[in-house]
Amino acid sequence: MQHRFVIPALTCALLASVATSQSIAVKKSGSQEPAASQDENPAANVVAEVQAVFTDALSKVKRPGRDATKEEREAFSSALEKARTAQVAAAKAALVKHADLLGKASAARYRAQLQSTAGQNEAAMKSYLAHAEATDSGEERNEALLLAANLCKNSVGAAAAKKIFDRVDASQLPANAQRMHKALASGLASDIKREQLYGNPAPAIAGLHVLGAEAGQDGESFSLSQYRGKVVLVDFWATWCGPCRVVIPGLVEMQKKYGDDLQVLGVTRFYGYGSDFSDPDSALPHGGKLVRDIDEKTEIEINQAFANRFELNYPIVISDAAAGQNYSVRGIPTIFVIDQEGKVVDSAVGSGEANHAKIVKTVDRLLGRKASEGHAEEASDKQSKND
């Protein structure tokens, strides 16, 4: 059975729905909810204000329908990115401005929501655990543990997340949280398998076709061993994957900043479809044209056009399904860090500032550098602008 990379959007969607059910109702246009219910809980009101930054920004933009033009779709995509960026900034500002209020034990779950929105996954995990210990509600306790387990998986690791996950009583979860519970149970098994790669030699990756002037020749001549002595980032991605396109500017910036000490490799495979950015007017990062039922020659051309438009300064390795299977890849983008001796030392699944910062921190550690040298901040800034 051929491996198929998929975007792990379900977990993200369920995380958001559980967080919403756990907390306050956001005031929307036309809502009949009395204002007093917000005022009775100042911490909840802070969260509502931050959430409103996103909803208010999108309310001013017309959602594209089935018959929307390319320009309308691109305009909405751009507005969506700006709304998300504004919400992240608002969450970070609120955590500083209302530090005393949000630092109270009774505000732990609201603090967790803001920290999660701000990309502070490990801090959010600890806040959810604090709420789980403090609340008398079985439903809230188990929802908080479930959210903490998911955040732990993304920030600390799957093995640690499994310990939190095992404390969850699924019978006390509402329907939407039970769906997340089932998805997380399935994902953790694969994630733990992926983490078992740490400390071991990186599995070989077949180079069926390699794009990039510095990549060497195609086919069997490609090998990870040719980069021994460097830190290597292996990014499993595809042209059609939106979150993959979001992380790429940060990887380009890292390759530029770290120079010969680092080698980024974009690993994909033949899908038979992809996003074509050969049109010089196609907007970045989401303006490509989706094409289907294409042969391998055309897909190679689409990958080359992508490399040109995104100004990739690292090779694209078109491999086989076994590559993803050997690295236990369930969703893309998934990035692995391989040390100078060729051993896997870290990984991150998905886009986002927190995941990018995690990878930068590991690279800095392997190279004996400090974030203050500028590599971490500049690369993270480049990537966060595209989130």
Side-chain angles (χ1 to χ4, degrees):
M1 178 174 165
Q2 198 172 40
H3 180 81
R4 183 184 182 92
F5 300 156
V6 295
I7 304 172
L10 177 61
T11 301
C12 297
L14 289 173
L15 177 63
S17 67
V18 174
T20 301
S21 69
Q22 228 189 21
S23 60
I24 45 83
V26 181
K27 288 184 180 179
K28 296 182 179 180
S29 178
S31 173
Q32 300 300 312
E33 183 183 4
S37 64
Q38 291 287 323
D39 296 337
E40 290 172 2
N41 194 327
N45 197 43
V46 172
V47 175
E49 291 173 356
V50 171
Q51 291 176 330
V53 169
F54 181 82
T55 55
D56 289 349
L58 282 190
S59 68
K60 302 172 184 176
V61 184
K62 181 181 178 182
R63 287 182 176 273
R66 291 185 178 180
D67 299 328
T69 65
K70 177 182 177 181
E71 290 72 20
E72 289 173 335
R73 293 182 185 279
E74 289 181 356
F76 182 77
S77 177
S78 176
L80 184 63
E81 291 177 17
K82 290 179 180 178
R84 287 173 175 165
T85 300
Q87 186 186 33
V88 170
K92 291 179 177 179
L95 286 165
V96 175
K97 181 178 179 180
H98 303 285
D100 291 341
L101 170 65
L102 295 170
K104 297 179 180 179
S106 59
R109 69 176 178 180
Y110 304 109
R111 180 174 69 249
Q113 289 173 17
L114 290 170
Q115 290 167 331
S116 181
T117 300
Q120 300 171 8
N121 290 345
E122 188 169 357
M125 172 198 72
K126 293 177 180 178
S127 294
Y128 274 125
L129 288 175
H131 178 60
E133 294 297 327
T135 183
D136 293 328
S137 167
E139 182 174 286
E140 286 190 14
R141 178 171 61 254
N142 285 284
E143 285 182 344
L145 287 171
L146 184 62
L147 289 164
N150 188 76
L151 289 163
C152 182
K153 174 177 70 71
N154 295 330
S155 59
V156 180
K162 183 67 164 54
K163 295 179 180 179
I164 300 174
F165 181 81
D166 288 342
R167 295 167 56 191
V168 178
D169 182 353
S171 68
Q172 295 193 48
L173 293 173
N176 61 342
Q178 287 179 359
R179 291 193 296 271
M180 181 181 181
H181 183 272
K182 183 177 180 180
L184 189 55
S186 174
L188 279 174
S190 179
D191 292 336
I192 290 173
K193 181 179 178 182
R194 187 180 70 248
E195 289 182 2
Q196 289 173 346
L197 292 171
Y198 296 176
N200 294 310
I205 296 174
L208 304 182
H209 196 95
V210 184
L211 302 175
E214 303 300 323
Q217 299 178 358
D218 296 346
E220 294 181 358
S221 62
F222 170 81
S223 173
L224 285 176
S225 63
Q226 71 190 81
Y227 301 112
R228 195 65 54 83
K230 298 184 178 184
V231 174
V232 178
L233 294 187
V234 176
D235 173 31
F236 286 90
W237 75 290
T239 61
W240 50 261
C241 166
C244 297
R245 297 193 294 266
V246 167
V247 306
I248 282 175
L251 296 177
V252 169
E253 190 69 15
M254 288 183 71
Q255 183 66 79
K256 186 184 303 181
K257 290 294 182 180
Y258 290 101
D260 290 338
D261 292 333
L262 176 73
Q263 182 60 62
V264 180
L265 297 173
V267 178
T268 187
R269 69 170 180 83
F270 291 114
Y271 287 94
Y273 57 94
S275 289
D276 184 3
F277 284 84
S278 58
D279 182 350
D281 293 328
S282 55
L284 302 182
H286 303 307
K289 178 183 178 182
L290 182 63
V291 291
R292 300 181 182 276
D293 301 321
I294 56 177
D295 58 23
E296 291 185 358
K297 180 177 181 296
T298 302
E299 193 158 356
I300 290 171
E301 293 173 351
I302 285 176
N303 275 275
Q304 184 61 66
F306 185 99
N308 295 340
R309 288 286 283 115
F310 281 76
E311 299 182 349
L312 298 193
N313 53 3
Y314 57 83
I316 292 177
V317 180
I318 300 178
S319 190
D320 52 20
Q325 293 169 350
N326 292 338
Y327 279 82
S328 195
V329 175
R330 294 183 66 248
I332 55 176
T334 296
I335 299 175
F336 290 86
V337 184
I338 300 172
D339 69 12
Q340 295 92 328
E341 297 179 355
K343 296 180 179 179
V344 179
V345 295
D346 202 359
S347 66
V349 181
S351 60
E353 185 178 345
N355 276 344
H356 186 80
K358 177 175 183 275
I359 292 299
V360 171
K361 182 178 180 180
T362 300
V363 173
D364 277 333
R365 175 176 59 79
L366 291 173
L367 295 177
R369 301 187 182 186
K370 296 180 180 180
S372 59
E373 293 181 35
H375 298 278
E377 288 93 336
E378 292 185 36
S380 184
D381 285 347
K382 183 78 172 178
Q383 200 256 335
S384 63
K385 289 177 182 177
N386 290 277
D387 262 351

